[in-house]
Amino acid sequence: MADKLEFQAEVSKLLDIVVNSLYSEKQIFLRELISNASDACDKLKYLALTTPDIAKASGAFKITVTPDSKANTLTVSDNGIGMNREDLINHLGTIAKSGTAEFVRNVKDNGSAVDLIGQFGVGFYAAFMVADKVEIITRKAGEDKAWKWVSNGVDGFEITEAERAVNGTDIKLFLKEDAKNYTDTIYLRHIIRTYSDHIDYPIVLELGEAGEETVNTASALWMRHKSEITEDQYKEFYHHISKNFDDPWLTLHFKAEGNIEYTGLLYIPSEPPYDLFQPDRKTGLKLYVNKVFISDKVEELIPNYLRFVRGVIDSADLPLNISREMLQHSALIEKIKHGTVSRLLKELKKRAGNYDDYMKFWRSFGIVFKEGIYEDFSNREEIAGLSYFASTADDEKLTTLDAYISRAQEGQKAIYYITGDDVRVLRNNPQLEAFKEKGIEVLLLTDPIDEFWPQTLPNYKGFAVKHVAQAQADMSFERKEAKADEGSLKKLTDMMSAQFKDEVGKVTTTEKLTKSPASLTVENGQMSIHLERLMRTHQQQTAFASTRILELNPYHPLIIKLADMTANEADKPKIEEISRMLLDQAKIAEGEAVSDPSFFSEKLSEYILKAM
Ligand code: ADP
Ligand code: MG
């Protein structure tokens, strides 16, 4: 009795894209099938660590590719873990990988799938680029029953019971008319060598009467010597291990020797993965013990701020039968992590010398990497030194903290920064006026993380790291302009304090402003206005509100005049109206909403009219 089942809607969409796209590199389907076969062998190898008998019957692991030019079929077989009925339904009828689901969504949004197939790798479903029917015979290790799965990639799939002598999977493709070349052994050998040479298991090509031939090198790529590995092989291995299809920005292959020995083959992608900010994302490193795959879930292997790194760590010094739970608290893992991080940082330092090259990395991952400044206490100076920021010194180029220091003014003791939503808006923030006047550079920080790292980096190379709101005392300089009368100014700030007692904590004067009459800031040490806004949008909480300070510029003609007006009791309503306008202006400059937009625009029109 055959069970007819439907594909999940997303699979149907994906298949539709795969079948109808004119993607020219159709040969990648073989890479996908071999990659799955290799994963299946890895899984069984791991299972055999604890259940040694389970893989006995099927013999040494291998992957077999069998073309049949008469029948026009191509079969990829493995003696790996195999699949039972549930596995077939769950893995080959639905999309478990959110990456693939993301792919489908992307295509729906952007129209063309052609380029994207190569970038994402659509896995098993790529078989339907070259086949109009796929038949799978599979038997799961440790189970008696075998199953047959058949589909034309359009109307769902059928599952029936079948026979298979041992565990493993045969995937038979009934090739389309225009895909007959995939029975040509010379072509097949070429494709396998190009895309799958790094696979750790022998890939055996059946040559019919001429016997069979192992086509690949069949040794784990990371265990080979650097000099024996080509750039393309490194790249293909990255595609295999990361399931990403961009090119790596960095490839780092090393052997650590000392009291613990391990090999690392690590990559930094060039494109950010879709799940960079998803809490349930997978770790990017696979842990092997002497070429046996152990786990890709050892989070302790790499710190969070390097979560975009992909690759393999292999150490023969870890016990083979170590449980995944034990790994989480292993001192050896901690040592490996330490060593790996310092190698990566060293490598980044080398690449940081080339600004344009480094920016490719920075624009993809800088926002995550900066988390290291507060996450990794022992490396925070180094991480901060490898970080780039927008600054008032340059409209386009980002700067490092060291470059900032090299431009510091005589006697300047701090690195100043301001935070906000948008660099362009920040450049014009009134809080920067005195800095501009004195020619002091200010970093313009716009990532949420920028609210946090400066608190764990109070100093960098002898310079205090300071928000401009804390720079009041540093900013006094000699000024020649007329200043409002002290007494009247005091009256004005008192009046305004009373008027705005529900909105601001304090009204004071400042030396920081040169062009604007007034500006908003917060009490020293309190959450910045930008952070407060972030908290509000993310948690819809206003409980954290910092105390606002309205700062007046005593040199501004408007403030001088307003202070003078306090002498006349009859002017009070006018003063209050203008004060309200000043506070609203200050709010706008900070990216905040005015308290009463219709009042504000009505008054503004009135004043504009008067000026005309
Ligand atoms: P991915 O390999 O990224 O998980 P695929 O579409 O290539 O995505 O494969 C989907 C799933 O189907 C695999 O995760 C695996 O569980 C199962 N699978 C595919 N091929 C095999 C195979 N040869 N042996 C066992 N399981 C397989
Ligand atoms: Mg796959």
Side-chain angles (χ1 to χ4, degrees):
M1 247 295 284
D3 267 341
K4 261 200 84 62
L5 292 134
E6 297 278 317
F7 286 121
Q8 175 199 33
E10 269 178 334
V11 174
S12 292
K13 252 179 262 157
L14 178 65
L15 281 166
D16 189 49
I17 292 164
V18 166
V19 172
N20 294 313
S21 78
L22 300 168
Y23 187 59
S24 55
E25 292 172 66
K26 289 193 179 7
Q27 73 268 25
I28 58 134
F29 82 89
L30 192 55
R31 163 188 82 189
E32 298 294 334
L33 297 184
I34 289 175
S35 172
N36 286 347
S38 161
D39 289 349
C41 293
D42 274 353
K43 284 178 195 159
L44 186 55
K45 202 168 168 188
Y46 180 74
L47 212 60
L49 292 178
T50 45
T51 321
D53 287 346
I54 201 162
K56 234 182 206 166
S58 52
F61 289 112
K62 68 172 182 176
I63 298 163
T64 312
V65 177
T66 313
D68 182 337
S69 55
K70 286 205 195 76
N72 203 21
T73 61
L74 178 69
T75 306
V76 178
S77 301
D78 64 70
N79 51 357
I81 188 132
M83 286 176 274
N84 60 23
R85 194 173 175 279
E86 289 71 52
D87 293 337
L88 283 168
I89 294 171
N90 292 337
H91 300 319
L92 301 182
T94 57
I95 299 178
K97 257 191 318 178
S98 29
T100 308
E102 188 82 352
F103 164 76
V104 175
R105 230 168 291 131
N106 240 293
V107 171
K108 269 183 62 204
D109 296 347
N110 301 327
S112 155
V114 179
D115 309 336
L116 290 172
I117 287 182
Q119 282 172 30
F120 276 76
V122 289
F124 166 76
Y125 303 105
F128 289 99
M129 291 201 290
V130 296
D132 42 28
K133 181 171 128 185
V134 175
E135 187 184 284
I136 301 176
I137 308 277
T138 180
R139 177 170 159 188
K140 190 158 185 168
E143 298 185 14
D144 300 329
K145 278 187 183 164
W147 300 94
K148 181 160 107 176
W149 180 103
V150 187
S151 174
N152 61 3
V154 184
D155 314 316
F157 53 93
E158 261 182 42
I159 297 184
T160 41
E161 262 194 72
E163 293 292 324
R164 200 180 193 278
V166 290
N167 58 278
T169 304
D170 312 304
I171 300 195
K172 187 176 200 172
L173 312 186
F174 293 82
L175 297 168
K176 291 182 183 177
E177 269 308 302
D178 63 359
K180 283 188 168 158
N181 50 336
Y182 294 107
T183 58
D184 175 10
T185 50
I186 296 174
Y187 187 42
L188 286 170
R189 185 187 294 118
H190 168 72
I191 304 174
I192 296 169
R193 289 216 174 118
T194 307
Y195 294 105
S196 308
D197 186 62
H198 58 81
I199 296 284
D200 194 21
Y201 306 101
I203 303 172
V204 175
L205 183 58
E206 289 292 341
L207 303 170
E209 275 155 30
E212 52 173 52
E213 172 196 341
T214 298
V215 184
N216 64 328
T217 317
S219 74
L221 189 81
W222 62 91
M223 292 305 217
R224 296 185 213 165
H225 196 270
K226 268 187 194 178
S227 61
E228 291 159 17
I229 307 173
T230 66
E231 200 179 318
D232 280 345
Q233 286 175 323
Y234 274 130
K235 213 183 274 182
E236 272 313 318
F237 184 67
Y238 163 75
H239 294 161
H240 169 70
I241 194 110
S242 67
K243 302 196 196 284
N244 290 347
F245 290 93
D246 56 343
D247 286 343
W249 177 78
L250 174 83
T251 302
L252 176 59
H253 189 186
F254 64 90
K255 201 167 156 58
E257 276 154 354
N259 46 15
I260 168 163
E261 294 191 1
Y262 57 96
T263 298
L265 176 48
L266 306 179
Y267 299 92
I268 295 180
S270 48
E271 302 289 334
Y274 67 92
D275 62 352
L276 198 55
F277 293 102
Q278 284 171 16
D280 58 346
R281 69 182 170 267
K282 286 209 203 122
T283 64
L285 291 194
K286 293 186 187 240
L287 180 68
Y288 284 73
V289 172
N290 218 355
K291 289 169 55 176
V292 179
F293 171 67
I294 301 296
S295 175
D296 55 7
K297 297 187 179 64
V298 189
E299 283 163 20
E300 289 70 15
L301 212 47
I302 191 105
N304 230 335
Y305 70 95
L306 293 173
R307 60 181 177 265
F308 46 82
V309 174
R310 298 287 177 266
V312 169
I313 296 284
D314 190 328
S315 175
D317 288 349
L318 289 166
L320 197 53
N321 59 0
I322 190 166
S323 76
R324 287 177 182 160
E325 291 68 39
M326 274 163 68
L327 282 171
Q328 326 248 272
H329 309 287
S330 154
L332 288 177
I333 294 287
E334 188 62 32
K335 282 209 180 101
I336 292 176
K337 170 163 117 183
H338 247 63
T340 305
V341 167
S342 51
R343 271 170 207 270
L344 279 167
L345 294 179
K346 212 165 105 195
E347 217 52 35
L348 285 174
K349 200 165 194 168
K350 277 190 218 155
R351 296 281 289 266
N354 179 337
Y355 181 83
D356 290 335
D357 173 45
Y358 195 74
M359 277 305 116
K360 287 184 202 142
F361 159 72
W362 189 256
R363 304 225 184 262
S364 293
F365 301 112
I367 186 168
V368 171
F369 183 70
K370 273 189 288 187
E371 292 174 10
I373 304 175
Y374 76 74
E375 194 186 305
D376 187 348
F377 191 80
S378 57
N379 289 311
R380 63 182 178 172
E381 277 244 339
E382 208 172 339
I383 297 166
L386 288 166
S387 297
Y388 279 74
F389 309 98
S391 123
T392 52
D394 195 310
D395 285 349
E396 304 287 330
K397 274 191 155 182
L398 306 183
T399 183
T400 58
L401 298 182
D402 294 276
Y404 178 107
I405 288 174
S406 72
R407 290 186 292 264
Q409 301 273 323
E410 185 79 31
Q412 183 181 342
K413 293 191 184 67
I415 294 171
Y416 297 103
Y417 69 93
I418 185 165
T419 56
D421 300 323
D422 185 313
V423 170
R424 276 169 310 162
V425 177
L426 277 180
R427 282 189 199 283
N428 298 320
N429 191 298
Q431 293 282 320
L432 303 188
E433 288 170 3
F435 290 89
K436 285 181 192 155
E437 190 76 26
K438 293 183 79 172
I440 292 179
E441 182 175 351
V442 178
L443 301 178
L444 310 168
L445 309 183
T446 50
D447 293 327
I449 188 71
D450 294 326
E451 292 289 348
F452 302 102
W453 66 258
Q455 290 159 33
T456 51
L457 191 78
N459 287 287
Y460 182 79
K461 302 198 174 164
F463 278 67
V465 178
K466 265 194 188 178
H467 194 285
V468 293
Q470 299 161 13
Q472 178 78 279
D474 311 355
M475 274 304 124
S476 53
F477 56 101
E478 210 183 311
R479 304 180 64 146
K480 301 196 173 66
E481 314 104 289
K483 194 176 180 181
D485 166 71
E486 283 297 333
S488 327
L489 208 51
K490 172 85 173 62
K491 250 182 169 169
L492 178 64
T493 50
D494 285 350
M495 269 176 81
M496 285 170 86
S497 295
Q499 183 187 351
F500 300 130
K501 65 179 186 311
D502 298 332
E503 282 167 87
V504 300
K506 186 155 88 177
V507 181
T508 63
T509 59
T510 183
E511 298 287 322
K512 277 190 298 187
L513 301 175
T514 62
K515 283 196 297 221
S516 303
S519 169
L520 269 183
T521 181
V522 293
E523 196 82 71
N524 245 351
Q526 286 203 5
M527 186 176 347
S528 76
I529 298 178
H530 176 237
L531 176 58
E532 195 186 302
R533 193 157 56 236
L534 285 174
M535 301 279 244
R536 228 183 293 142
T537 38
H538 287 293
Q539 321 187 345
Q540 279 140 14
Q541 239 165 349
T542 44
F544 301 106
S546 326
T547 315
R548 295 283 193 283
I549 299 174
L550 180 63
E551 295 180 335
L552 304 181
N553 175 1
Y555 304 94
H556 197 284
L558 199 158
I559 299 295
I560 298 177
K561 187 128 190 221
L562 202 59
D564 288 346
M565 281 165 72
T566 57
N568 190 349
E569 190 60 26
D571 278 341
K572 195 172 177 210
K574 194 84 219 161
I575 295 174
E576 283 187 345
E577 186 180 293
I578 293 168
S579 299
R580 161 60 58 198
M581 295 290 286
L582 278 174
L583 175 60
D584 281 347
Q585 267 189 328
K587 283 184 175 176
I588 291 171
E590 263 305 323
E592 299 273 273
V594 302
S595 15
D596 182 351
S598 54
F599 169 85
F600 182 78
S601 57
E602 199 181 291
K603 285 294 155 194
L604 189 60
S605 312
E606 194 183 311
Y607 292 155
I608 292 173
L609 189 63
K610 271 186 203 156
M612 281 167 27

